[in-house]
Amino acid sequence: MILKKTIKNSPESIVSLALTSETLTGRSGFLLAKAAQRVRDTYDEHLKTLNMNARHAGILTILEEKGSLAQNELGKCAYIDRTTIVALIDDLEKLGLVERQEHPTDRRSHVIYMTAKGKELMPQIGKKAKEVEKEYLGPLTASEQKSLIQLLRKLVFHHYSMPKETR
Amino acid sequence: MILKKTIKNSPESIVSLALTSETLTGRSGFLLAKAAQRVRDTYDEHLKTLNMNARHAGILTILEEKGSLAQNELGKCAYIDRTTIVALIDDLEKLGLVERQEHPTDRRSHVIYMTAKGKELMPQIGKKAKEVEKEYLGPLTASEQKSLIQLLRKLVFHHYSMPKETR
DNA sequence: TATTGTTATACTCTATAACTATA
DNA sequence: TATAGTTATAGAGTATAACAATA
């Protein structure tokens, strides 16, 4: 990536450059923050018509894949804190897409299961996710897309596999 | 990546699986969100001793690379909204690392320049950034790290090169 | 003692609306 | 009319502390 630089010689040392920092755009911290922000926007935009956001869709996707799960297991699957997931399940319950059930053996725990309405909606959610992925990853070739996913998976699995204290 | 699945046959259809969703971890939306969250935590942790966070360090890095910039140019460089960057510059000014100056030709504009104290601090910030990048990208080989950065750059450049309306 | 779900609370990051002063 | 900086404000996402119920 070659960036055009037009340096104006100014006594005030104000220079006019391409509005991009080579250093910053070489750091994963900056790139991941900006990439995540934009892909989330895209997800939210596409899911707005279903009255949900990317995290709601993610929870439903886990339930579809794994079947009913305890609320804490669902949180671990989504890498979402137990205090954070409460409101998300609340939202999905209000939409009539999931319901909390008593856990058969642990009375502290809630089992989250998908309602018929939720199951009916899954094809639409899957379709939206596919659209977003296609749109967002569009600038990359198919092979590059695959590479990116694999590299990110490797990173995420590694950093979420250890307890917070030893990170 | 092969995940071990231990499916318990339970009449309540509660299954015990590896707490990872194949579907979700195949989507850039999920992976980028989680990767960004963790790398930001790592940056913040390392920069805490300098009383700043990842975004402050990013702004200083841009100033070091490009010299003094108008506040709006700085925001564009960092992909940060003009209403958001105000407080960040305030913070850096309070730390005595940058100062707002009058723009020589446009009286609406502020030029942000680094103070001597700020310039002195840059080696430390650069060192911290290198440490974080090394630590965070550690699970990847050198070649993989390079690939990831290149792929993310391509994505970010593409998605931030067009105006918001046509995204 | 530890864990599950919950609430209250707070902090970070972001952006819209509206204002002022300029251009 | 448009732009630069600013403030007020609000929203999304996250997590800590503390509690009740239960293991």
Side-chain angles (χ1 to χ4, degrees):
Chain A
M1 175 71 59
I2 297 176
L3 296 167
K4 194 171 59 181
K5 298 187 181 184
T6 317
I7 299 177
K8 227 190 299 179
N9 229 340
S10 146
E12 300 84 10
S13 84
I14 298 162
V15 291
S16 176
L17 301 171
L19 291 181
T20 305
S21 160
E22 281 294 320
T23 314
L24 232 50
T25 61
R27 290 184 183 158
S28 68
F30 178 78
L31 293 171
L32 287 170
K34 299 308 169 184
Q37 187 180 345
R38 189 52 56 92
V39 73
R40 169 174 292 169
D41 287 348
T42 310
Y43 264 97
D44 288 351
E45 198 179 293
H46 279 70
L47 290 167
K48 206 168 51 182
T49 57
L50 302 179
N51 299 308
M52 66 178 67
N53 62 30
R55 294 183 306 160
H56 296 118
I59 289 170
L60 292 174
T61 301
I62 294 172
L63 288 174
E64 187 188 35
E65 181 182 320
K66 298 198 172 296
S68 301
L69 285 176
Q71 191 168 311
N72 63 331
E73 292 177 312
L74 199 48
K76 282 172 190 169
C77 245
Y79 301 162
I80 290 175
D81 190 85
R82 68 196 167 105
T83 65
T84 303
I85 208 160
V86 175
L88 293 172
I89 305 291
D90 286 348
D91 296 338
L92 291 173
E93 237 181 354
K94 275 171 202 154
L95 289 171
L97 304 177
V98 307
E99 279 183 30
R100 286 174 169 96
Q101 271 187 345
E102 288 180 7
H103 191 286
T105 60
D106 187 342
R107 294 186 55 199
R108 295 170 305 181
S109 189
H110 293 165
V111 177
I112 314 299
Y113 75 96
M114 244 196 279
T115 63
K117 190 177 171 188
K119 285 173 188 167
E120 278 172 29
L121 198 63
M122 284 314 299
Q124 285 184 65
I125 292 173
K127 197 181 156 200
K128 298 257 185 204
K130 260 195 179 164
E131 284 170 8
V132 172
E133 292 291 320
K134 190 179 172 184
E135 178 182 326
Y136 183 74
L137 297 176
L140 304 181
T141 67
S143 157
E144 287 175 331
Q145 294 179 18
K146 212 174 161 185
S147 290
L148 179 67
I149 297 291
Q150 282 176 336
L151 294 170
L152 289 174
R153 274 171 72 111
K154 199 167 170 182
L155 266 187
V156 169
F157 280 142
H158 185 275
H159 287 292
Y160 282 86
S161 66
M162 41 188 160
K164 199 172 180 181
E165 299 75 32
T166 60
R167 244 146 57 185
Chain B
M1 175 72 55
I2 296 175
L3 295 167
K4 195 172 57 182
K5 296 187 182 184
T6 317
I7 300 178
K8 227 188 302 180
N9 230 340
S10 147
E12 301 85 10
S13 84
I14 298 162
V15 292
S16 177
L17 300 172
L19 290 180
T20 305
S21 161
E22 281 294 321
T23 315
L24 233 48
T25 60
R27 289 183 184 160
S28 68
F30 178 79
L31 293 171
L32 287 171
K34 298 308 169 183
Q37 188 180 346
R38 189 53 56 91
V39 73
R40 171 175 289 169
D41 287 348
T42 310
Y43 264 99
D44 288 351
E45 198 181 293
H46 279 69
L47 290 168
K48 206 168 50 182
T49 57
L50 301 181
N51 300 308
M52 66 177 69
N53 62 28
R55 294 182 306 159
H56 296 118
I59 289 171
L60 292 173
T61 301
I62 293 172
L63 288 175
E64 186 188 35
E65 181 183 321
K66 298 197 172 296
S68 301
L69 285 175
Q71 191 168 313
N72 62 331
E73 292 176 314
L74 199 48
K76 281 172 190 168
C77 244
Y79 300 163
I80 290 176
D81 190 85
R82 70 197 166 104
T83 65
T84 302
I85 208 161
V86 175
L88 293 172
I89 304 290
D90 287 349
D91 296 337
L92 291 173
E93 236 181 354
K94 275 171 201 153
L95 289 170
L97 304 178
V98 307
E99 280 184 30
R100 286 174 168 95
Q101 273 187 342
E102 288 181 6
H103 192 286
T105 61
D106 188 340
R107 292 188 54 200
R108 296 170 303 179
S109 189
H110 293 165
V111 177
I112 314 300
Y113 75 96
M114 245 197 278
T115 63
K117 190 178 170 187
K119 285 174 188 167
E120 278 172 28
L121 199 63
M122 284 315 297
Q124 286 184 63
I125 292 173
K127 196 183 157 199
K128 299 256 184 206
K130 262 195 178 164
E131 284 170 8
V132 171
E133 291 292 320
K134 190 180 173 185
E135 178 182 326
Y136 182 75
L137 296 176
L140 305 181
T141 67
S143 156
E144 287 175 331
Q145 294 180 18
K146 212 174 161 185
S147 290
L148 180 67
I149 297 291
Q150 281 176 335
L151 293 170
L152 289 173
R153 273 171 74 109
K154 199 166 169 182
L155 267 185
V156 168
F157 280 143
H158 185 274
H159 287 291
Y160 281 86
S161 68
M162 41 188 158
K164 200 172 178 181
E165 300 73 34
T166 60
R167 242 147 56 187

